[in-house]
Amino acid sequence: MDLSLRQIRAFLAVAQTHSFTRAADLLHVAQPTLTVQIRRLEEALDVKLFDRNTRTVNLTRVGRELLPVFQRMVHDLDAVVVDTHEIAAKRRGIVRVAALPTVAAGVLPDAIRSFRERHPGASFVLKDVIAGRVLALVRSEEVDLGVMGGEVKGQDIETLLEASDRLHVVFPKDHPVAGLPRVTIATLADLPLVLMDPATSVREIVDEAFLNAGLIAKPVCEATYMMTAVAMVRAGLGLTILPGSAREIGAEPGLRSRPIDSAGFSRSVRIIRKAGRTLPPLSEAFAEYLRAAFGPGSVVPHAPGGVRREDGPWPVG
């Protein structure tokens, strides 16, 4: 069966006007052309759709049964075309992003708010997962963009932007660390530490920094979640080391943070996408927005409540 949209629209126009002449005028086609379209539709369906004489045109019973079906088909198709135009014009769409929890709860909400001020029809699906999961979601194209730390191997992934996220030591505001001119790895080696779980990217960076300095980090406590580590610091169990961008730092008014002035206490944060794949228009626009707003060589801004650091923030807006 070979049906065309023009044939179906011709059928609907005749059914609406009860006239081939008025239907042809409505569709801006010649009446013989309209007649041919109706005849071919009837031939394709192998049924008669109209009873006609010199004065009237009426639907047959089969034509009456097909009318609501064809009306729904054309309505749905028109809606799809309108929706697609809205998406292409960046007036509507869903942006899917996977990001490290610190970034998902830190800089991304402000970036999303600012972007939606320009594109109010944009919706976001934000998945906060560990770095390995970010990479897997981007590779499987379950998300459009990923924000992760560390190196990315494989030609199937494109890095759109790389920024630096310095690690901070988090301590009670009256702790002696607050009065030191600088905090180094030697300082930390002599203090009780609450470290993240060994499976986390933050712990990997900390362990590598201590190892390169010929030292071994000996935590008094370990935590899987940053908020738990912060709570342990509040309880006086020790100091913790978190990314400066972690909002958990600013959640406790009695705590402060300072960047660690030793090599290795920094992680790269990358915005990535699947190489060679076309993103939805709004996702492409959000990627360009992040690149333009953050710029190359950026530093992820630290969370509020900590000691302000000398390197500038990662701007949003």
Side-chain angles (χ1 to χ4, degrees):
M1 185 180 298
D2 186 14
L3 304 183
S4 74
L5 181 60
R6 288 181 179 178
Q7 292 168 1
I8 295 173
R9 289 193 187 278
F11 166 79
L12 294 177
V14 176
Q16 174 185 341
T17 61
H18 299 280
S19 166
F20 275 68
T21 301
R22 290 193 295 271
D25 291 340
L26 183 65
L27 296 176
H28 305 290
V29 298
Q31 183 174 331
T33 300
L34 180 74
T35 301
V36 170
Q37 290 172 345
I38 294 296
R39 185 175 70 248
R40 289 179 176 172
L41 179 62
E42 290 178 328
E43 290 172 352
L45 295 172
D46 197 25
V47 293
K48 191 174 181 180
L49 299 174
F50 295 99
D51 288 324
R52 50 202 140 171
N53 56 39
T54 56
R55 291 182 299 174
T56 61
V57 177
N58 294 303
L59 287 166
T60 65
R61 185 169 68 84
V62 173
R64 290 195 300 270
E65 292 173 352
L66 286 175
L67 179 60
V69 176
F70 284 149
Q71 286 174 329
R72 285 195 300 271
M73 288 174 56
V74 172
H75 177 271
D76 291 346
L77 182 58
D78 288 342
V80 168
V81 171
V82 170
D83 288 347
T84 303
H85 286 164
E86 290 286 298
I87 291 171
K90 302 174 186 175
R91 289 191 290 267
R92 193 169 68 181
I94 299 175
V95 182
R96 302 180 185 276
V97 183
L100 296 170
T102 49
V103 178
V107 298
L108 274 186
D110 289 333
I112 291 171
R113 174 194 51 76
S114 180
F115 182 79
R116 291 193 74 251
E117 288 174 356
R118 307 179 188 189
H119 302 278
S123 300
F124 281 78
V125 174
L126 181 56
K127 299 179 181 291
D128 49 342
V129 292
I130 62 174
R133 184 66 180 143
V134 172
L135 190 57
L137 289 170
V138 172
R139 281 202 162 112
S140 66
E141 298 184 69
E142 294 179 56
V143 298
D144 308 314
L145 302 169
V147 186
M148 60 172 290
E151 298 294 323
V152 179
K153 297 180 180 179
Q155 297 182 349
D156 61 329
I157 298 297
E158 177 186 356
T159 296
L160 302 179
L161 176 72
E162 182 176 0
S164 176
D165 191 6
R166 293 182 64 185
L167 298 191
H168 282 210
V169 58
V170 182
F171 53 90
K173 62 182 180 181
D174 56 354
H175 193 277
V177 165
L180 297 177
R182 51 200 286 261
V183 178
T184 67
I185 193 170
T187 308
L188 300 176
D190 295 330
L191 295 172
L193 297 176
V194 176
L195 297 184
M196 301 304 298
D197 186 274
T200 63
S201 60
V202 172
R203 179 62 180 276
E204 183 180 353
I205 294 169
V206 171
D207 286 346
E208 185 174 355
F210 270 85
L211 183 62
N212 291 337
L215 301 170
I216 298 178
K218 298 178 180 178
V220 296
C221 294
E222 292 182 349
T224 301
Y225 298 103
M226 293 186 186
M227 202 66 229
T228 305
V230 167
M232 290 180 174
V233 175
R234 183 190 62 212
L237 296 174
L239 311 188
T240 193
I241 299 172
L242 300 179
S245 60
R247 286 287 174 105
E248 288 86 350
I249 295 175
E252 292 287 344
L255 302 183
R256 296 292 181 268
S257 77
R258 298 183 62 180
I260 302 168
D261 192 9
S262 292
F265 283 94
S266 177
R267 67 174 179 176
S268 64
V269 176
R270 299 169 182 268
I271 300 174
I272 62 173
R273 60 177 286 177
K274 184 75 174 289
R277 304 297 290 173
T278 300
L279 294 179
L282 267 179
S283 298
E284 188 73 55
F286 187 61
E288 291 300 321
Y289 167 78
L290 292 179
R291 286 201 288 190
F294 298 160
S298 302
V299 176
V300 181
H302 69 287
V307 176
R308 184 175 181 83
R309 57 184 193 211
E310 296 177 357
D311 48 7
W314 195 9
V316 173

